Amino acid sequence: MRTRPSGSSDEDETQHELAEHQLRGDSIGKVDIQLLSAVAENAGSKRTSTSIENPDLARHSFTLDRRKSDKLPNPTSQNEAGGGAGKRIATAGVTAIEGEKHTLTGAIKSSAREGSVGTMNDIRDYRRWRVRNLWRSSSLVWLVTGLAICSLYAIVTSFISRQRDPEGCKQCWMIPAYAKLSGFDTEHTRFASKYSLYLYREIGVDEDTMVKGVPVLFIPGNAGSYKQVRPIAAEAAYYFRDHIQSNADMINAGTRNLDFFSVDFNEDITAWHGQTLLDQAEYLNEAVAYILSLYHDPRRSRRDPGLPDPSSVIIVGHSMGGIVARTMLVLPNYQSNSINTIITMSAPHARAPVSFDADIVHTYSRINDYWRRAYSQKWASDNPLWHVTLISIAGGGLDTIVPSDYASVSSLVPETHGFTVFTSSIPDVWTGSDHLSILWCDQFRKVVVKALVDTVDVRRPSQTKQRAERMRIFRKRFLTGMESFTEKNLLHAQPTTLLTLEDNSNSMLALGERLVMREFGQSGVPKAYLLPVPPPGTPGKKSFTLLTDQALGESAQGRSLDVLVCSVFPLQSGQSAAVFAMNMDLSGASTGSTRLACKSAASDVTTLPASSRTSKFAFDDASPFSYLEYALTDLAEHQFVAIVDKLTHPSPGWLIAEYSDHGDSKISNKLGLGHVMASGVHMLLPASRPMVTEIKIPSLQSSMFAYRLRLGSQACGDTELFTPLLRQHISDPYESKYFVNVKEANINFHGFAPFMPPALRSHHGYDGLALQLWTDPTCKTSIDFSLEFDLTGSLGKLVMRYRTLFAAFPLVIVALVLRKQFLLHDETGVFITFGDALDRCLRSSIPILLLTISFLAMTLITPDQPSPTARSFWHGQSNETLSYYSKRNLLLGSQDSFFWLLIPLFGLICIGVCVLVNYAALAIIHFLYIGWTTLSAKPAWLRNDDRRRQTRPAFTEVSPRRRLITTAFLLIMVSTFIPYQFAYMVACIVQIATCTRALRVAKETSAIPYFATLRIEDRELTPFLPQQSLAYYDFYNYAHSLLILMLWILPINLPVLVVWIHNLAVHWLTPFSSHHNVLSIMPIILLVETSTGGRMIPRVSSSIRYITSLLFMLLAILAAIYGVTYAYWLHHLTNVVCAWLVAVHFAGSGFSLSGLRQILDGSTTPAIAGSPVLASRDGKKRP
């Protein structure tokens, strides 16, 4: 490698500098040269007269101009031996007294008239004054920064205040008690000194610490507490006492109480560290084995000895606890079939919430690949997870900790073994929840406990029902019941009611007539209303719908209404009606009667939130509506739907039942996404519409967009039965939201999201967004429907999906800026400021790179579904599909062509953020400089000579041997005990100190501007700096830019460092099994250590200098492509760049093994060629 030594001629530097100014578009006129010459002469005279006061400045005065010019005379130089004060002799001498402005002005004018000419070094110094102006930024930079701040403000404001879901979780109360299982000690697990196992008991309900029910293990999430089990565990205790304990039928059916166990992880941070996640999973497998052993010990168990001993544990995991639960089944110490039911809450299954740690990314990949391969097996005997059910429950938009998109398990398990559902979809919950409230939300915890209790069957060793039955229970409890695949219980039920009616009853409606009841019990006796089922072959696809404000479900006590699906029952002679569980005779004293064999529809009833003029939210305290829907094929074997009014006295209430044609009730809008965003969706619902209207818009699939819906009011007056009720829903994942008394609604959902893998299998197509609208058909008025794109509301959706990008993408900008700085440094010898380099990049490399990345994003777009099946990919049989899945991890992770526009937006924001970080770093360094200067100030009574003699140099001379030993010690600590992230943080602190010292040196050695800015003959004269000071400012700019680069890498290293410090706080001193690779930090440490001595990186004049440019360009490109998915790569890429810069340093210093031996012997203190000479005020050179 050929470098430029420090002794190269100033003429060469001048030519490089002139080339630099030509790049800037600067122009240097003859008058400028003459003016500078005069000022230089005056400053030279002053320096000569004050050489005793400041010998360094005199010694490092400007060199002579050796230009060959016919027009301009060539000045000579005189340099005193021994480093005396240098003098510059101009062609026309000018003598002026500094501080007397008029004299200096006259001298400059005289010099200009006499044709005085300055040296080329003066020209360079005149142009390099901007190096000293650290705060300078061009108008273009400020314009871009302003746009970036406005864009960022709009995004953050949208995230905070726009398209926000209402919060409706109710508080719950409990009286908890925790019994620590001290028997689970080091004989069972190596983590006994760090983690603990507890058994929960509710005081006043179940205070016995003996196990007697079904074991349930609660796993807390990232930094979670074992006490977070109390809301669900307390509800389980009360539910068993109030509803199960006295129910003999349920006890005989195998239902028992739940024994909740919880784990104290000392608030471990699992989301940031993969090894911690594996440690917790290993501990929990041992905990499961210990828990099961408790039920085998008669001293600890009070179970019925006739029941089989438990062989499995139900798992309930919150946040990262759900990931730990799935990890348990992958580890070698997992006991086969010890887990068969997993319910997770707000758990990021699909991908890691952050990718700053390589271990967490690799662990996720390993776990997810294992689950996918298992469920891709053709035969159940080859699937080790065949018996496992996985239910993932997400909180929705209120969860600002973990993106709810990541809760999807569709890429991991088929629908026969699990699904993802949102709390806003769950019947009787109907509200979103944040990351923590999902644990204590009163409505939600009741549903979870009921679902768990329903799956219990202590008569089986697994303690739970079979997998298919468990899945049926979970769908019943957690889904709305209106999904397209929902199987109606009516099809498998047997007639249980014999309904007897009068032959001449007038309660039978005409075929297709709508039944509307505005009051119940009007006739004074029970009465049945029959709706004939349309016969097979009826034109059109029809369905039966019923909506009422009365309770119709199985759990309703004292129902006033019964809905029965009946067939004619011709009772033959000798045939008994005793086969029916209920005989409902409504014939009165009539001799002629009609008998119907009926099935109850109560098990198929779905509850909906009540919607009236006083309703505000779906979760309001109001009795819910009951809704029933059957396809005509479900009723094909029956003749009537009977609505039985059992009240004998008038009672308020209403009911609407009708048959509707799908052509009228289902509307499919074929507009494309672009049309919807530009013009919206507008339609007029006719007055003769059915009660239920469903509008499907298949093009609306992305979770990145938000919309605004408006409904026109319907004029019903006092006869209105209910106000419009809206349900928005998507099918994958199962997310529904309800809007009551709707006039306006914010529509946003979790559909296709960036970086999300596709579904493992799919039994139903994805129809995009669907809007289901219930309106009162008796109003007979049309309704305006309007759906429009909400741009400001959509901006906030970028935060949760791309928050990691804001840590990785700015590195693209920083890398390009550093590339420009090093290019100009190698060409001209000037290391310009970060702001100046950013201005240059904004005019060249940044727009080009952003456009290139945008084009690359468009080339990566593939169809939403690959041509080969997903199963072939999980078996590794399709390279095409593998490429398809890999593309989802690149760039912005989206397969939608529209989102390439986000790349320029994010680039704009990151430019503004880089500018702000640059100025923040400048402010911090200047603050430290001021503090340092203030603390080191000497008393006023000290003489100047004494003060100069007592001033400590900014760059203290340290023995290379001592520095080498210090660096070696730090590297040894990294390899044995501390993670390299700790060493990186130390390096950042050292670099800040280096920048502070460099700034102090530059300011102390820079002369106060020799004169103020003057205007001479309408021209402005700008102050300039000595050559020595400019070198110091070059070094400061270099150190400052390295600091900016290191600061952007720091957030990637902080999470692991926080985990390590947390382990020390809980007295867990076992070193990490990873993060001790010395090579991951050694180049950075060496580069920072080199900078502490004030060593400027040498210029590289050969073609090898392009390697530096190439490395920074690769860093920028890879940060843009892989920065979000593999953020930890950014540290290693930066480490490679630092290794190259260290190599440049060593090459310029003439490094050799013999020199290293001398350093170890302490016999030499070599200097690095090309480095600036840093001196203190006493004039001694410092390395």
Side-chain angles (χ1 to χ4, degrees):
M1 180 185 305
R2 184 167 64 88
T3 61
R4 179 191 182 277
S6 58
S8 61
S9 67
D10 292 313
E11 182 177 2
D12 296 333
E13 290 191 53
T14 301
Q15 297 301 326
H16 287 302
E17 188 63 26
L18 288 174
E20 177 198 10
H21 297 316
Q22 291 174 1
L23 290 175
R24 291 175 181 159
D26 296 341
S27 60
I28 304 178
K30 182 175 179 179
V31 177
D32 290 332
I33 298 175
Q34 294 172 346
L35 293 176
L36 285 168
S37 177
V39 176
E41 176 67 19
N42 180 74
S45 301
K46 178 63 179 179
R47 286 196 301 273
T48 302
S49 62
T50 59
S51 60
I52 298 178
E53 292 293 325
N54 200 337
D56 284 335
L57 295 181
R59 183 172 61 253
H60 297 286
S61 58
F62 299 99
T63 57
L64 298 179
D65 179 19
R66 291 188 291 270
R67 290 184 307 159
K68 296 180 179 179
S69 175
D70 296 336
K71 298 181 180 180
L72 300 178
N74 185 20
T76 60
S77 66
Q78 296 179 2
N79 294 325
E80 296 183 8
K87 299 181 181 179
R88 181 183 300 109
I89 303 176
T91 56
V94 178
T95 303
I97 300 176
E98 184 175 344
E100 297 183 6
K101 180 177 179 181
H102 64 280
T103 306
L104 179 60
T105 303
I108 294 175
K109 290 183 178 181
S110 173
S111 175
R113 286 192 300 268
E114 296 175 9
S116 300
V117 181
T119 67
M120 288 301 298
N121 280 338
D122 294 334
I123 300 173
R124 183 179 60 218
D125 292 330
Y126 173 63
R127 294 304 183 184
R128 289 178 63 184
W129 72 272
R130 290 187 291 182
V131 179
R132 181 179 181 271
N133 193 349
L134 305 177
W135 299 90
R136 175 187 176 276
S137 289
S138 67
S139 57
L140 176 61
V141 172
W142 285 116
L143 175 62
V144 173
T145 303
L147 294 176
I149 293 175
C150 293
S151 301
L152 188 61
Y153 175 80
I155 291 174
V156 174
T157 302
S158 173
F159 175 71
I160 295 175
S161 60
R162 298 298 299 269
Q163 290 281 337
R164 295 283 296 173
D165 296 336
E167 301 181 25
C169 281
K170 301 176 183 176
Q171 292 282 354
C172 57
W173 308 96
M174 69 288 299
I175 310 177
Y178 307 93
K180 184 176 181 179
L181 302 181
S182 56
F184 188 47
D185 51 19
T186 54
E187 295 183 1
H188 298 86
T189 176
R190 65 188 180 100
F191 297 102
S193 60
K194 184 179 182 182
Y195 303 143
S196 304
L197 184 64
Y198 289 85
L199 172 66
Y200 180 89
R201 285 295 182 248
E202 182 70 12
I203 297 178
V205 178
D206 189 4
E207 302 181 27
D208 188 359
T209 58
M210 303 286 284
V211 294
K212 48 186 173 296
V214 176
V216 180
L217 177 60
F218 173 79
I219 307 176
N222 182 61
S225 169
Y226 69 97
K227 296 181 179 180
Q228 291 175 323
V229 70
R230 59 186 183 270
I232 297 178
E235 175 61 24
Y238 286 110
Y239 182 75
F240 179 78
R241 184 193 67 178
D242 299 338
H243 299 90
I244 308 299
Q245 193 168 11
S246 59
N247 191 325
D249 293 337
M250 298 189 71
I251 294 296
N252 294 333
T255 305
R256 294 293 188 275
N257 65 317
L258 304 176
D259 291 329
F260 272 88
F261 298 85
S262 186
V263 185
D264 181 11
F265 284 136
N266 274 314
E267 298 183 358
D268 259 351
I269 305 175
T270 51
W272 294 351
H273 195 228
Q275 186 58 48
T276 300
L277 189 150
L278 295 174
D279 291 346
Q280 290 186 1
E282 178 184 342
Y283 175 83
L284 288 172
N285 277 330
E286 295 160 346
V288 167
Y290 179 79
I291 290 171
L292 294 176
S293 68
L294 296 178
Y295 292 83
H296 303 164
D297 186 356
R299 297 171 300 175
R300 302 297 306 271
S301 175
R302 292 179 54 187
R303 282 171 58 93
D304 186 349
L307 297 175
D309 292 329
S311 62
S312 67
V313 175
I314 299 174
I315 301 293
V316 176
H318 173 245
S319 186
M320 290 300 295
I323 311 305
V324 176
R326 289 200 299 116
T327 308
M328 295 168 63
L329 283 72
V330 179
L331 299 186
N333 69 335
Y334 169 66
Q335 182 177 331
S336 180
N337 297 328
S338 60
I339 298 173
N340 65 10
T341 302
I342 302 176
I343 296 180
T344 65
M345 307 171 189
S346 299
H349 290 286
R351 60 183 287 117
V354 292
S355 57
F356 296 160
D357 176 41
D359 285 349
I360 196 71
V361 176
H362 297 158
T363 301
Y364 256 87
S365 178
R366 174 188 171 190
I367 298 168
N368 290 349
D369 287 346
Y370 178 88
W371 279 68
R372 291 174 184 133
R373 286 194 301 267
Y375 285 114
S376 298
Q377 301 300 322
K378 183 177 180 180
W379 305 106
S381 58
D382 298 330
N383 182 5
L385 305 178
W386 182 257
H387 62 288
V388 178
T389 56
L390 174 62
I391 309 300
S392 175
I393 305 174
L398 291 177
D399 191 344
T400 57
I401 304 298
V402 173
S404 290
D405 303 293
Y406 293 179
S408 174
V409 296
S410 61
S411 63
L412 304 174
V413 298
E415 294 177 345
T416 55
H417 289 73
F419 56 83
T420 306
V421 66
F422 285 69
T423 56
S424 59
S425 306
I426 300 176
D428 300 321
V429 179
W430 298 321
T431 180
S433 58
D434 60 44
H435 198 67
L436 294 178
S437 66
I438 197 171
L439 288 170
W440 53 259
C441 185
D442 188 53
Q443 310 99 299
F444 174 66
R445 67 168 185 155
K446 293 181 186 304
V447 177
V448 172
V449 167
K450 291 177 182 178
L452 289 175
V453 171
D454 289 347
T455 60
V456 167
D457 187 355
V458 295
R459 299 171 299 179
R460 305 178 74 247
S462 64
Q463 303 297 290
T464 58
K465 295 180 172 64
Q466 295 183 355
R467 176 190 56 80
E469 181 63 15
R470 294 200 306 271
M471 287 300 300
R472 187 194 67 81
I473 292 172
F474 289 142
R475 291 193 184 99
K476 175 69 176 178
R477 289 294 185 182
F478 294 136
L479 301 185
T480 63
M482 293 179 283
E483 290 74 19
S484 58
F485 62 86
T486 301
E487 188 175 6
K488 301 298 184 180
N489 296 323
L490 180 71
L491 302 177
H492 307 287
Q494 297 296 324
T496 57
T497 302
L498 180 63
L499 180 61
T500 305
L501 303 173
E502 300 180 37
D503 285 341
N504 58 351
S505 173
N506 59 1
S507 59
M508 181 179 294
L509 279 70
L511 184 63
E513 183 181 354
R514 177 185 293 143
L515 173 63
V516 178
M517 302 175 63
R518 296 183 178 273
E519 191 178 19
F520 301 110
Q522 291 179 338
S523 60
V525 294
K527 185 176 182 179
Y529 299 87
L530 299 181
L531 282 75
V533 176
T538 302
K541 189 176 180 181
K542 296 184 178 295
S543 60
F544 171 81
T545 55
L546 181 148
L547 184 66
T548 180
D549 63 347
Q550 303 297 303
L552 299 178
E554 293 178 299
S555 60
Q557 301 293 330
R559 294 195 300 262
S560 60
L561 289 175
D562 275 333
V563 179
L564 307 173
V565 181
C566 306
S567 300
V568 176
F569 182 74
L571 189 61
Q572 304 296 330
S573 177
Q575 186 177 1
S576 173
V579 295
F580 297 98
M582 179 181 296
N583 190 349
M584 189 178 299
D585 189 356
L586 304 182
S587 61
S590 174
T591 56
S593 59
T594 299
R595 294 180 176 85
L596 302 176
C598 302
K599 303 176 183 178
S600 176
S603 59
D604 292 327
V605 170
T606 299
T607 57
L608 297 176
S611 180
S612 63
R613 293 185 180 275
T614 60
S615 300
K616 293 184 178 180
F617 302 107
F619 48 80
D620 289 342
D621 289 327
S623 298
F625 291 170
S626 297
Y627 178 66
L628 191 62
E629 181 176 1
Y630 286 118
L632 193 57
T633 55
D634 298 332
L635 305 176
E637 298 179 357
H638 307 86
Q639 287 80 45
F640 300 98
V641 175
I643 292 95
V644 181
D645 179 5
K646 299 189 294 185
L647 294 179
T648 58
H649 57 277
S651 178
W654 55 266
L655 178 145
I656 302 175
E658 65 180 9
Y659 290 97
S660 59
D661 191 280
H662 282 199
D664 299 328
S665 61
K666 298 186 182 297
I667 303 173
S668 181
N669 189 292
K670 302 298 184 181
L671 295 176
L673 176 61
H675 189 282
V676 174
M677 295 179 64
S679 304
V681 178
H682 305 276
M683 61 181 66
L684 182 65
L685 302 181
S688 58
R689 65 187 176 276
M691 177 179 61
V692 184
T693 303
E694 186 173 28
I695 303 172
K696 293 185 178 180
I697 311 176
S699 62
L700 303 188
Q701 301 179 355
S702 175
S703 61
M704 301 294 296
F705 297 132
Y707 307 89
R708 188 70 178 169
L709 181 141
R710 293 178 176 84
L711 284 181
S713 59
Q714 53 181 4
C716 285
D718 296 335
T719 62
E720 185 179 42
L721 299 178
F722 65 97
T723 55
L725 170 64
L726 177 69
R727 171 192 173 225
Q728 71 156 73
H729 64 96
I730 57 175
S731 56
D732 185 20
Y734 300 116
E735 181 184 19
S736 296
K737 293 182 183 179
Y738 296 90
F739 303 91
V740 297
N741 192 22
V742 60
K743 298 180 179 65
E744 294 185 352
N746 292 323
I747 305 298
N748 57 82
F749 51 92
H750 295 80
F752 289 168
F755 306 105
M756 290 294 295
L760 182 65
R761 301 175 190 168
S762 182
H763 297 297
H764 53 82
Y766 188 81
D767 298 327
L769 176 66
L771 301 170
Q772 200 169 6
L773 182 64
W774 286 265
T775 56
D776 187 352
T778 63
C779 290
K780 301 296 183 182
T781 58
S782 59
I783 295 181
D784 290 322
F785 174 91
S786 174
L787 182 69
E788 296 179 347
F789 174 64
D790 185 358
L791 175 60
T792 56
S794 300
L795 291 176
K797 305 303 176 186
L798 299 174
V799 175
M800 293 302 296
R801 278 80 178 185
Y802 289 113
R803 55 184 179 178
T804 307
L805 180 141
F806 291 102
F809 211 74
L811 194 61
V812 177
I813 309 301
V814 175
L816 292 178
V817 171
L818 280 165
R819 172 181 172 271
K820 176 62 69 174
Q821 288 178 300
F822 276 92
L823 276 176
L824 292 178
H825 172 64
D826 290 336
E827 292 176 359
T828 67
V830 179
F831 206 96
I832 60 177
T833 64
F834 188 91
D836 196 7
L838 179 60
D839 174 64
R840 294 168 179 263
C841 291
L842 285 175
R843 305 173 190 274
S844 57
S845 57
I846 290 180
I848 294 175
L849 184 60
L850 291 179
L851 289 177
T852 303
I853 296 174
S854 301
F855 178 77
L856 178 62
M858 289 188 288
T859 61
L860 294 176
I861 295 169
T862 56
D864 291 331
Q865 295 295 334
S867 54
T869 61
R871 184 174 179 272
S872 65
F873 164 70
W874 304 129
H875 284 292
Q877 298 174 357
S878 174
N879 292 331
E880 179 183 353
T881 314
L882 177 61
S883 175
Y884 167 73
Y885 283 89
S886 300
K887 289 178 180 179
R888 290 177 176 261
N889 291 327
L890 305 180
L891 293 175
L892 300 183
S894 176
Q895 296 298 300
D896 195 322
S897 59
F898 179 82
F899 291 108
W900 73 268
L901 295 173
L902 292 179
I903 294 178
L905 174 63
F906 289 146
L908 173 70
I909 294 175
C910 291
I911 292 170
V913 172
C914 287
V915 171
L916 296 179
V917 170
N918 175 50
Y919 278 106
L922 281 173
I924 292 174
I925 293 172
H926 277 76
F927 176 79
L928 295 176
Y929 159 73
I930 294 173
W932 187 4
T933 304
T934 303
L935 294 177
S936 61
K938 303 304 176 182
W941 49 268
L942 288 176
R943 297 180 59 183
N944 291 338
D945 292 342
D946 294 338
R947 183 168 51 193
R948 283 196 304 272
R949 188 164 49 251
Q950 294 183 18
T951 299
R952 299 182 60 184
F955 286 92
T956 305
E957 181 176 354
V958 180
S959 167
R961 180 180 181 183
R962 177 180 175 183
R963 290 160 55 185
L964 184 62
I965 294 175
T966 303
T967 303
F969 174 77
L970 183 60
L971 294 178
I972 292 173
M973 291 296 295
V974 169
S975 64
T976 56
F977 181 68
I978 66 175
Y980 70 77
Q981 288 83 359
F982 179 84
Y984 185 85
M985 186 188 68
V986 173
C988 290
I989 296 175
V990 172
Q991 188 66 17
I992 293 175
T994 300
C995 291
T996 305
R997 290 183 293 171
L999 180 64
R1000 184 183 184 189
V1001 170
K1003 287 185 175 294
E1004 287 183 348
T1005 57
S1006 63
I1008 299 176
Y1010 299 114
F1011 51 86
T1013 300
L1014 303 178
R1015 299 199 63 85
I1016 303 174
E1017 298 179 357
D1018 296 329
R1019 298 181 63 97
E1020 182 176 302
L1021 186 63
T1022 310
F1024 60 91
L1025 297 176
Q1027 180 74 14
Q1028 180 191 23
S1029 178
L1030 291 174
Y1032 294 144
Y1033 275 105
D1034 280 347
F1035 175 74
Y1036 172 79
N1037 294 334
Y1038 163 72
H1040 178 83
S1041 296
L1042 286 183
L1043 175 62
I1044 297 299
L1045 176 63
M1046 296 177 66
L1047 289 179
W1048 279 116
I1049 303 298
L1050 184 61
I1052 299 174
N1053 291 284
L1054 280 180
V1056 175
L1057 180 61
V1058 171
V1059 174
W1060 181 71
I1061 295 175
H1062 173 269
N1063 284 349
L1064 295 181
V1066 299
H1067 308 292
W1068 182 255
L1069 304 180
T1070 303
F1072 289 160
S1073 60
S1074 58
H1075 307 294
H1076 294 288
N1077 188 352
V1078 174
L1079 296 180
S1080 297
I1081 192 63
M1082 185 169 64
I1084 298 176
I1085 291 179
L1086 292 177
L1087 184 62
V1088 171
E1089 177 63 22
T1090 302
S1091 300
T1092 58
R1095 289 173 169 82
M1096 181 65 185
I1097 189 168
R1099 291 175 57 189
V1100 181
S1101 57
S1102 67
S1103 59
I1104 298 179
R1105 67 180 183 271
Y1106 295 112
I1107 296 180
T1108 306
S1109 176
L1110 178 62
L1111 287 176
F1112 279 113
M1113 180 59 71
L1114 287 177
L1115 175 60
I1117 294 174
L1118 293 178
I1121 297 177
Y1122 295 101
V1124 177
T1125 303
Y1126 305 103
Y1128 64 92
W1129 282 10
L1130 302 181
H1131 170 90
H1132 301 295
L1133 293 172
T1134 304
N1135 195 51
V1136 172
V1137 174
C1138 291
W1140 170 253
L1141 297 181
V1142 171
V1144 172
H1145 269 291
F1146 284 169
S1149 64
F1151 176 79
S1152 64
L1153 294 178
S1154 60
L1156 178 62
R1157 190 181 307 111
Q1158 293 177 352
I1159 292 175
L1160 294 176
D1161 294 338
S1163 59
T1164 184
T1165 306
I1168 294 181
S1171 302
V1173 181
L1174 304 181
S1176 62
R1177 289 186 177 181
D1178 57 5
K1180 297 181 180 180
K1181 295 183 179 180
R1182 303 299 179 187

